[in-house]
Amino acid sequence: MPLIQVRIIKDVFTKEQKSQIIPRLTDAMVSIEGENMRGVTWCVVEEVESGDWGIGGKALTTGDVHALATGKAA
C-alpha cells in the first residue's frame, strides 16, 4: 500500500495548510494509481524542529523558510 511521507519544518505551515496536505497528496497518488487505492493510501506529515533540517551544510530555521517564501532570503 502506498505511503506518502512529508517532512516539514515546524511552524512553517499553518494548521489549515497542513490539513490540506493529506487530501491533496492523496488525490495526486490516486490520480496515478487509481481510485480503488484511495482507502489504502497512507499519508504521514512529520514536523522537524527548526534548525534540525539542513541544506548545503547550513541548518534552516523556521525564520529562514518564512524569509525565503517572501523573497527576502539572505
Side-chain angles (χ1 to χ4, degrees), residues 15-43:
K15 186 175 181 88
E16 292 77 24
Q17 289 171 318
K18 289 186 288 185
S19 72
Q20 293 177 35
I21 290 172
I22 293 170
R24 288 187 183 196
L25 290 180
T26 299
D27 287 345
M29 284 298 295
V30 167
S31 73
I32 296 165
E33 63 192 4
E35 188 61 41
N36 290 337
M37 296 297 284
R38 183 178 298 277
V40 294
T41 299
W42 296 69
C43 187

Side-chain angles (χ1 to χ4, degrees), residues 8-13 50-51 53 55 58-73:
I8 57 177
I9 296 176
K10 189 174 181 178
D11 298 326
V12 168
F13 293 92
S50 178
W53 183 302
I55 186 168
K58 179 186 180 292
L60 290 176
T61 66
T62 302
D64 293 332
V65 178
H66 284 301
L68 180 64
T70 60
K72 299 178 183 173

